[in-house]
Amino acid sequence: DAGVIQSPRHEVTEMGQEVTLRCKPISGHDYLFWYRQTMMRGLELLIYFNNNVPIDDSGMPEDRFSAKMPNASFSTLKIQPSEPRDSAVYFCASSTPGLAKNIQYFGAGTRLSVL
Amino acid sequence: QQQVKQSPQSLIVQKGGISIINCAYENTAFDYFPWYQQFPGKGPALLIAIRPDVSEKKEGRFTISFNKSAKQFSLHIMDSQPGDSATYFCAAGDNNDMRFGAGTRLTVKP
């Protein structure tokens, strides 16, 4: 398996533009998580899905952020409009419960720079 | 949101020394405590994990010590090597929730 695949790896955009980050979870995993990592705040959980349904979005910073999971193999995190303070590395992770007890497998991340 | 407190924020250890990172959690319902290792430019990857029915788990040079009554757990890296230099995250959770610590940047000097 190729693991969790995120795209793009790097994104540079200007303030006010829409940004869409993409994630393909590991096949068979029914949980998908979006995280944001910054030096100041560390690793923050933004939202997670179970079986394509958003379960907890309490970590989403504000209405400018939205996430969707139209099917089991694809999720997007959208920021509209983007602001410089959104600059961070965004990680997607997937997992499956059971014996593995929610071990999360992370993608390589998308480094977002908003100018 | 922060339910897991991790310390220190950064740590410098000489090669061959012991690295110790500490974490404390709040939610007594949590029953799974993993540690993740992250190298620059990569996503975090599971290193070792423990469940609360044991007080210690060892895998090679890495050991987790767990104190359920104090709601604390720690990672010990014995004989630390330069290749161990990375950011380490503790986490605590259950089947439906996982909270991460802020991370510890470990530097092992040769």
Side-chain angles (χ1 to χ4, degrees):
Chain A
D1 198 319
V4 176
I5 299 173
Q6 290 186 247
S7 64
R9 288 297 312 276
H10 304 273
E11 177 78 40
V12 180
T13 191
E14 293 187 347
M15 182 175 64
Q17 296 299 304
E18 178 180 294
V19 175
T20 299
L21 311 181
R22 297 172 176 79
C23 176
K24 181 180 188 311
I26 293 173
S27 177
H29 284 192
D30 48 12
Y31 282 84
L32 184 139
F33 306 81
W34 282 101
Y35 290 89
R36 177 172 67 177
Q37 185 177 37
T38 61
M39 290 292 291
M40 292 297 294
R41 300 175 68 88
L43 197 61
E44 300 175 276
L45 175 66
L46 300 177
I47 185 172
Y48 78 92
F49 296 81
N50 179 213
N51 292 321
N52 313 337
V53 177
I55 302 300
D56 184 355
D57 65 353
S58 60
M60 295 287 262
E62 47 198 277
D63 292 345
R64 297 184 298 107
F65 286 68
S66 63
K68 294 183 179 179
M69 192 165 186
N71 57 63
S73 60
F74 183 66
S75 177
T76 60
L77 178 67
K78 186 176 295 186
I79 308 173
Q80 166 63 21
S82 58
E83 296 182 4
R85 60 193 170 115
D86 301 331
S87 298
V89 181
Y90 290 82
F91 288 103
C92 175
S94 70
S95 74
T96 184
L99 291 178
K101 205 69 173 181
N102 207 19
I103 297 171
Q104 295 186 23
Y105 296 84
F106 284 78
T110 294
R111 181 174 295 277
L112 173 64
S113 298
V114 183
L115 307 178
Chain B
Q1 187 184 86
Q2 188 65 263
Q3 296 184 22
V4 179
K5 295 183 179 179
Q6 182 173 347
S7 63
Q9 193 172 25
S10 63
L11 180 63
I12 300 175
V13 174
Q14 290 294 129
K15 178 182 176 182
I18 302 174
S19 304
I20 302 174
I21 305 170
N22 300 299
C23 282
Y25 64 99
E26 299 174 358
N27 190 334
T28 55
F30 287 160
D31 61 357
Y32 183 63
F33 304 90
W35 286 87
Y36 283 79
Q37 180 187 55
Q38 183 183 26
F39 292 106
K42 304 290 186 181
L46 181 67
L47 179 65
I48 185 173
I50 196 169
R51 294 186 177 84
D53 52 343
V54 296
S55 60
E56 186 176 281
K57 182 174 182 179
K58 183 176 181 179
E59 290 184 1
R61 296 184 294 107
F62 300 90
T63 300
I64 300 178
S65 297
F66 184 79
N67 185 330
K68 187 174 181 179
S69 61
K71 293 187 288 185
Q72 295 175 347
F73 58 110
S74 59
L75 176 69
H76 296 234
I77 306 175
M78 310 299 288
D79 186 27
S80 299
Q81 299 297 312
D84 297 331
S85 296
T87 299
Y88 292 80
F89 294 92
C90 64
D94 55 25
N95 264 341
N96 298 311
D97 191 14
M98 187 65 63
R99 303 289 168 170
F100 284 80
T104 296
R105 184 186 296 268
L106 171 66
T107 302
V108 181
K109 295 203 165 186

